Amino acid sequence: MEMQKENWVLISIIGKGQERRDGARGYEKTRYVFNAKSENEYITKETAFFDIGLLEYLKDVEKLNIDKFIVVGTAKSAWSELLMVIPPEEQQSESISDLYLKVYDQESAKDEEQGVSEEVSNEWEMTL
Protein backbone atom coordinates (compact mmCIF):
# COMPACT_ATOMS: atom_id res chain seq x y z
CA MET A 1 0.00 0.00 0.00
CA GLU A 2 1.39 3.38 -1.05
CA MET A 3 1.42 6.05 1.66
CA GLN A 4 -0.33 9.25 0.72
CA LYS A 5 1.75 12.38 1.14
CA GLU A 6 0.43 14.82 3.74
CA ASN A 7 -0.86 18.17 2.57
CA TRP A 8 0.32 21.28 4.37
CA VAL A 9 -0.99 24.84 4.61
CA LEU A 10 1.38 27.81 4.89
CA ILE A 11 -0.26 30.85 6.52
CA SER A 12 1.32 34.27 6.36
CA ILE A 13 0.61 37.92 7.11
CA ILE A 14 1.61 40.66 4.68
CA GLY A 15 2.00 44.30 5.64
CA LYS A 16 2.40 47.42 3.58
CA GLY A 17 6.15 47.63 3.93
CA GLN A 18 7.75 51.03 4.05
CA GLU A 19 9.18 53.54 1.67
CA ARG A 20 12.19 51.87 0.07
CA ARG A 21 15.48 53.45 -0.88
CA ASP A 22 14.25 53.78 -4.48
CA GLY A 23 11.22 55.79 -3.30
CA ALA A 24 8.65 53.06 -3.95
CA ARG A 25 6.58 51.52 -1.16
CA GLY A 26 6.96 47.85 -0.26
CA TYR A 27 9.52 45.43 1.08
CA GLU A 28 13.28 45.62 0.46
CA LYS A 29 14.86 42.61 -1.23
CA THR A 30 16.80 40.59 1.32
CA ARG A 31 18.87 37.42 1.07
CA TYR A 32 17.46 34.79 3.43
CA VAL A 33 19.53 31.79 4.52
CA PHE A 34 18.00 28.37 5.18
CA ASN A 35 19.69 25.21 6.43
CA ALA A 36 20.01 22.48 3.86
CA LYS A 37 19.61 18.79 4.61
CA SER A 38 23.34 18.21 5.07
CA GLU A 39 25.58 19.70 7.74
CA ASN A 40 27.39 22.95 6.94
CA GLU A 41 25.34 23.50 3.80
CA TYR A 42 23.05 26.45 3.32
CA ILE A 43 20.52 27.58 0.77
CA THR A 44 19.95 31.25 0.10
CA LYS A 45 16.98 32.93 -1.47
CA GLU A 46 16.77 36.58 -2.38
CA THR A 47 13.23 37.92 -2.18
CA ALA A 48 11.34 40.90 -0.87
CA PHE A 49 8.69 38.79 0.88
CA PHE A 50 10.17 36.23 3.29
CA ASP A 51 7.37 33.69 2.95
CA ILE A 52 8.01 33.24 -0.76
CA GLY A 53 11.52 32.06 0.12
CA LEU A 54 10.08 29.91 2.90
CA LEU A 55 7.49 28.41 0.54
CA GLU A 56 10.20 27.41 -1.94
CA TYR A 57 12.40 26.01 0.83
CA LEU A 58 9.58 23.91 2.29
CA LYS A 59 8.66 22.54 -1.13
CA ASP A 60 12.15 22.03 -2.60
CA VAL A 61 14.25 21.06 0.43
CA GLU A 62 11.82 19.72 3.02
CA LYS A 63 9.72 18.14 0.23
CA LEU A 64 6.46 19.21 1.87
CA ASN A 65 3.33 19.22 -0.23
CA ILE A 66 2.13 22.79 0.37
CA ASP A 67 -1.49 22.47 -0.68
CA LYS A 68 -2.46 26.05 0.17
CA PHE A 69 -0.61 29.30 0.75
CA ILE A 70 -2.89 31.66 2.65
CA VAL A 71 -1.82 35.29 2.95
CA VAL A 72 -3.76 37.68 5.17
CA GLY A 73 -3.50 41.44 4.84
CA THR A 74 -5.42 44.64 4.25
CA ALA A 75 -6.16 46.80 1.21
CA LYS A 76 -2.97 48.71 2.08
CA SER A 77 -0.72 45.63 2.09
CA ALA A 78 2.07 45.15 -0.46
CA TRP A 79 0.15 42.57 -2.52
CA SER A 80 2.36 43.06 -5.57
CA GLU A 81 5.14 41.20 -3.70
CA LEU A 82 3.21 37.98 -4.33
CA LEU A 83 4.02 38.09 -8.05
CA MET A 84 6.83 35.64 -7.32
CA VAL A 85 4.40 32.79 -6.55
CA ILE A 86 3.50 32.82 -10.26
CA PRO A 87 5.91 30.75 -12.38
CA PRO A 88 8.46 33.02 -14.14
CA GLU A 89 7.32 32.04 -17.64
CA GLU A 90 3.75 33.12 -16.79
CA GLN A 91 4.81 36.40 -15.17
CA GLN A 92 5.70 37.73 -18.60
CA SER A 93 2.22 37.34 -20.05
CA GLU A 94 0.52 40.60 -20.93
CA SER A 95 -2.55 39.92 -18.78
CA ILE A 96 -0.50 39.16 -15.65
CA SER A 97 1.85 42.09 -16.27
CA ASP A 98 -1.11 44.46 -16.67
CA LEU A 99 -2.81 43.19 -13.53
CA TYR A 100 0.44 43.35 -11.54
CA LEU A 101 0.87 46.99 -12.57
CA LYS A 102 -2.70 47.78 -11.46
CA VAL A 103 -2.01 46.24 -8.05
CA TYR A 104 1.36 47.98 -7.73
CA ASP A 105 0.00 51.36 -8.82
CA GLN A 106 -2.90 51.21 -6.37
CA GLU A 107 -0.74 50.17 -3.42
CA SER A 108 1.87 52.82 -4.29
CA ALA A 109 -0.61 55.66 -4.81
CA LYS A 110 0.07 58.84 -2.92
CA ASP A 111 -3.42 58.56 -1.42
CA GLU A 112 -2.52 55.71 0.93
CA GLU A 113 -5.96 55.75 2.52
CA GLN A 114 -7.51 53.82 -0.34
CA GLY A 115 -5.07 50.98 -1.03
CA VAL A 116 -5.85 48.19 -3.51
CA SER A 117 -9.51 48.18 -4.58
CA GLU A 118 -11.65 45.16 -3.82
CA GLU A 119 -12.16 44.52 -7.54
CA VAL A 120 -8.44 44.48 -8.33
CA SER A 121 -7.71 42.53 -5.14
CA ASN A 122 -10.20 39.81 -6.09
CA GLU A 123 -8.77 39.58 -9.61
CA TRP A 124 -5.21 39.33 -8.22
CA GLU A 125 -6.30 36.65 -5.74
CA MET A 126 -7.84 34.55 -8.51
CA THR A 127 -4.71 34.93 -10.64
CA LEU A 128 -2.43 33.82 -7.82
Side-chain angles (χ1 to χ4, degrees):
M1 176 190 296
E2 185 178 321
M3 287 195 53
Q4 190 172 13
K5 197 171 186 181
E6 289 182 352
N7 289 330
W8 292 80
V9 176
L10 179 61
I11 301 172
S12 177
I13 298 172
I14 190 167
K16 73 177 187 176
Q18 58 188 352
E19 189 168 327
R20 299 187 313 222
R21 287 178 239 157
D22 63 4
R25 180 161 290 289
Y27 292 112
E28 291 280 348
K29 260 193 175 174
T30 304
R31 182 162 299 279
Y32 295 99
V33 179
F34 298 94
N35 289 330
K37 288 291 191 180
S38 60
E39 192 174 322
N40 298 324
E41 185 181 348
Y42 300 94
I43 296 168
T44 63
K45 172 67 179 170
E46 186 175 45
T47 182
F49 185 51
F50 168 77
D51 287 327
I52 290 179
L54 178 62
L55 175 67
E56 291 178 9
Y57 169 79
L58 292 173
K59 289 169 78 173
D60 298 342
V61 176
E62 296 296 330
K63 304 296 184 203
L64 297 178
N65 184 33
I66 306 296
D67 185 48
K68 292 183 181 171
F69 181 28
I70 299 171
V71 182
V72 179
T74 69
K76 298 176 190 174
S77 295
W79 295 107
S80 62
E81 301 293 353
L82 297 177
L83 175 68
M84 302 312 290
V85 300
I86 298 173
E89 62 276 5
E90 292 178 35
Q91 291 177 20
Q92 304 305 316
S93 77
E94 189 173 337
S95 63
I96 290 179
S97 293
D98 289 347
L99 180 55
Y100 167 80
L101 289 174
K102 279 186 205 176
V103 172
Y104 182 80
D105 288 345
Q106 287 185 10
E107 71 189 23
S108 301
K110 295 297 179 202
D111 177 15
E112 291 183 24
E113 290 305 310
Q114 186 173 353
V116 179
S117 71
E118 188 174 346
E119 177 187 342
V120 170
S121 178
N122 289 340
E123 189 177 353
W124 190 232
E125 178 183 356
M126 296 308 295
T127 300
L128 296 173

